[in-house]
C-alpha cells in the first residue's frame, strides 16, 4: 500500500479525488461505491459526481464520500457542475465513456490527472459507430491512465491512442448471491413456485432487454427446448426497449419463456435456477457470470469479450448468435448432473481467483499516487 495518500505524512493534506459517474450501469455504480469506501478508509477524500437517482440507489455518502449531484450527460449544466466539483481535486477518475468525455471537458485547461475506467464497450452501428470511435479516441488521449476491465478493452484503449492502458482489478462488491447456503433450498423452492417451475428445470437470464444481449438467440434456442421432457422454463429478468417484440414472439410461437421485468430479488431467483444463461454479443466482467459462479449455478455463456478470461474452464462456452449450440449445451447439461456438479466446484475455485475489494482499491490507490507524486528533478 502506498504511504503518501494513505497517511498524508509531513502534514500534507489528504489526497482529494473526484469519481465521475454518468447514468451508471449497476456494475460501475457498485464498483464506485466499493472504491469510495476503500479509499475513504485509507484517508483519501472522495467526492462522487453522479445523478441524484444513482446516489439514491447506491448511497455514496453512506460510505463516507461526498455526493455532488450532477445531471445526466445530455444536460448542458452537466459539464459546468463537474467543473465546479473538480475545482480543488488532485485527481479525477471517470467511469464509462460518456462520464469520461464530460470529465475531460470539465478539466480542459487544467493540469489535473484524469484516470478513466472502461467498464464495458458501447454498442453502435453505422454513423453512430464512427462517432463512437471519435469519442473513444478523445477520451483515450485525454486520460493519463485508462483502466480496462478486460484485456480486449485494454487493447481497444491502446488502439484508440491511450498513452497508458492497463488491466483493472475489479472486484464484484459483496455478491448479492452470498445467500446462506442453508437458506438456498427454502428460497429456491419459494422462487420456483412463484415462477411456475416447481417441477421443471429453471433457466435464468438477467439483463436489459436490448439487442446486444442476444435474446433473439435465446428464444430460438427455447424452441428446441420444447422437445425436452419436462420442458424447462426460461425466465428473463430485465427491462428494455425490446420487451414488446420479445413478448409477442413468446406468445405467437408458444415458447416456454417468461419475462419478469426488473427485479430486486435476482439473487434469490438465481440460486433457484438449474442453469444461468448469458447470450450477449459482448461482455466485460459480467455481473451475472460472477454471481452465477459465486452462487454455484452452472453457467452457459457466449465466448465473447472478457467472458473466457473471467470464467476460465468453469462454464460452458458457446459461439455468439448460434441457437443450435446454445440449445444443445443446455440440453446436455440438464441431462448430466455430474457435469453440473463439476461446474459448480470449478466455479467456486475460479471465483476465488478474482480480485478482492482490497486488491482493487490497492491498485487504484497506487495509480493515484503515481500520478500525483512530485516528479524528481
Amino acid at each position: 500500500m502506498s504511504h503518501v495518500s494513505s497517511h498524508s505524512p509531513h502534514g500534507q493534506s489528504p489526497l482529494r479525488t473526484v469519481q465521475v459517474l454518468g447514468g451508471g450501469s449497476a456494475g460501475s455504480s457498485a464498483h464506485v461505491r466499493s472504491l469510495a469506501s476503500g479509499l475513504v478508509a485509507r484517508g483519501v477524500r472522495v467526492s462522487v459526481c453522479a445523478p441524484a437517482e444513482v446516489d439514491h440507489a447506491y448511497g455514496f455518502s453512506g460510505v463516507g464520500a461526498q455526493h455532488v449531484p450532477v445531471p445526466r450527460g445530455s444536460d448542458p449544466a452537466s459539464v459546468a457542475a463537474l467543473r465546479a466539483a473538480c475545482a480543488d481535486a488532485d485527481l479525477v477518475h471517470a467511469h464509462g465513456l460518456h462520464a469520461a468525455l464530460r470529465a475531460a471537458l470539465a478539466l480542459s485547461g487544467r493540469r489535473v490527472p484524469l484516470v478513466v475506467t472502461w467498464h464495458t464497450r458501447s454498442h453502435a452501428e453505422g454513423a453512430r459507430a464512427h462517432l463512437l470511435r471519435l469519442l473513444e479516441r478523445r477520451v483515450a488521449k485525454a486520460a493519463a491512465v485508462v483502466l480496462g476491465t478486460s484485456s480486449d478493452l485494454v487493447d481497444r484503449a491502446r488502439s484508440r491512442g491511450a498513452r497508458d492502458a492497463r488491466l483493472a482489478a475489479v472486484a464484484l462488491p459483496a455478491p448479492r448471491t452470498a445467500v446462506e447456503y442453508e437458506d438456498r433450498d427454502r428460497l429456491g423452492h419459494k422462487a420456483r413456485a412463484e415462477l411456475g417451475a416447481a417441477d421443471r428445470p429453471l433457466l435464468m437470464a438477467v439483463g436489459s432487454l436490448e439487442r446486444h444481449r442476444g435474446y433473439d438467440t435465446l428464444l430460438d434456442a427455447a424452441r428446441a427446448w420444447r422437445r425436452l421432457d419436462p420442458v424447462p422454463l426460461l425466465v428473463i429478468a430485465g427491462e428494455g426497449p425490446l420487451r414488446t417484440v420479445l413478448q409477442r414472439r413468446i406468445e405467437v410461437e408458444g415458447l416456454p419463456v417468461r419475462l419478469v421485468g426488473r427485479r430486486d430479488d435476482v439473487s434469490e431467483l438465481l440460486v433457484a435456477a438449474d442453469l444461468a444463461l448469458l447470450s450477449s454479443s459482448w461482455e466485460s466482467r459480467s455481473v451475472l457470470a460472477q454471481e452465477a459462479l459465486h452462487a454455484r449455478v452452472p453457467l452457459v455463456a457466449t465466448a465473447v469479450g472478457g467472458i473466457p478470461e473471467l470464467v476460465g474452464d468453469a462454464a460452458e462456452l458457446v459461439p455468439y448468435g448460434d441457437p443450435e449450440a446454445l440449445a444443445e449445451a443446455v440440453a446436455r447439461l440438464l441431462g448430466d448432473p455430474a457435469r453440473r456438479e463439476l461446474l459448480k466446484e470449478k466455479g467456486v475455485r475460479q471465483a476465488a481467483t478474482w480480485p478482492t475489494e482490497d486488491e482493487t482499491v490497492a491498485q487504484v490507490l497506487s495509480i493515484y499516487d503515481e500520478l500525483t507524486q512530485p516528479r524528481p528533478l
Side-chain angles (χ1 to χ4, degrees):
M1 188 64 60
S2 164
H3 63 286
V4 176
S5 55
S6 309
H7 303 295
S8 308
H10 314 307
Q12 289 178 0
S13 59
L15 189 70
R16 295 160 301 182
T17 70
V18 175
Q19 308 287 324
V20 183
L21 265 170
S25 68
S28 57
S29 301
H31 170 64
V32 170
R33 187 181 195 277
S34 163
L35 198 54
S37 174
L39 291 170
V40 167
R42 289 160 175 80
V44 177
R45 272 179 50 194
V46 179
S47 298
V48 178
C49 295
E53 64 272 20
V54 179
D55 180 58
H56 181 71
Y58 288 90
F60 302 114
S61 52
V63 296
Q66 178 194 8
H67 172 243
V68 181
V70 171
R72 286 187 183 276
S74 54
D75 190 316
S78 180
V79 172
L82 261 185
R83 193 165 175 82
C86 297
D88 67 345
D90 296 312
L91 180 141
V92 175
H93 188 164
H95 299 264
L97 210 51
H98 295 283
L101 179 66
R102 294 201 312 282
L105 293 171
L107 292 175
S108 182
R110 298 185 187 173
R111 297 186 62 172
V112 178
L114 174 64
V115 176
V116 174
T117 298
W118 282 8
H119 290 269
T120 186
R121 199 175 84 187
S122 298
H123 302 270
E125 293 166 15
R128 284 176 57 91
H130 176 65
L131 284 174
L132 181 64
R133 275 195 302 278
L134 293 175
L135 172 57
E136 288 177 341
R137 198 169 292 131
R138 172 77 195 265
V139 165
K141 290 181 172 177
V145 174
V146 177
L147 292 170
T149 55
S150 61
S151 295
D152 65 325
L153 281 175
V154 175
D155 293 342
R156 191 180 182 90
R158 287 185 183 133
S159 75
R160 298 292 188 255
R163 286 169 281 168
D164 185 343
R166 311 179 194 182
L167 188 63
V170 179
L172 176 68
R176 290 184 312 227
T177 46
V179 180
E180 292 298 325
Y181 283 135
E182 54 267 30
D183 285 347
R184 286 177 70 110
D185 288 346
R186 182 178 57 80
L187 286 169
H189 185 74
K190 178 170 168 270
R192 293 175 80 95
E194 184 222 325
L195 294 168
D199 52 1
R200 61 199 289 202
L202 176 61
L203 314 176
M204 189 79 208
V206 181
S208 55
L209 306 182
E210 297 178 74
R211 194 160 306 287
H212 73 271
R213 298 281 184 189
Y215 290 132
D216 272 350
T217 305
L218 267 185
L219 297 194
D220 289 344
R223 276 208 298 264
W225 298 329
R226 287 182 304 193
R227 296 196 296 271
L228 300 177
D229 184 21
V231 177
L233 174 67
L234 168 62
V235 169
I236 301 174
E239 201 47 85
L242 292 183
R243 174 153 195 146
T244 308
V245 176
L246 295 173
Q247 188 61 50
R248 189 178 301 124
R249 259 199 77 183
I250 291 164
E251 288 165 10
V252 168
E253 298 177 33
L255 300 175
V257 180
R258 280 192 63 189
L259 304 180
V260 295
R262 192 177 283 113
R263 301 280 295 230
D264 56 10
D265 60 345
V266 165
S267 56
E268 283 84 349
L269 300 184
L270 192 55
V271 296
D274 294 285
L275 300 177
L277 307 183
L278 186 63
S279 53
S280 308
S281 62
W282 191 90
E283 291 276 352
S284 175
R285 295 185 70 83
S286 159
V287 173
L288 173 64
Q290 292 178 77
E291 292 192 339
L293 268 59
H294 271 299
R296 297 173 57 84
V297 177
L299 173 70
V300 178
T302 43
V304 296
I307 293 296
E309 183 178 33
L310 181 69
V311 302
D313 66 351
E316 294 283 351
L317 297 179
V318 296
Y320 167 69
D322 187 337
E324 291 80 15
L326 180 60
E328 206 245 322
V330 166
R332 196 172 61 245
L333 272 178
L334 288 177
D336 189 346
R339 174 71 182 154
R340 293 202 306 274
E341 282 305 312
L342 180 64
L343 283 178
K344 290 177 189 179
E345 296 310 317
K346 285 184 169 188
V348 171
R349 287 202 295 275
Q350 182 68 11
T353 70
W354 295 334
T356 64
E357 289 188 84
D358 265 357
E359 287 163 348
T360 300
V361 174
Q363 183 201 27
V364 165
L365 192 54
S366 71
I367 290 168
Y368 290 1
D369 282 350
E370 194 183 306
L371 295 174
T372 55
Q373 290 314 295
R375 297 281 185 271
L377 294 174

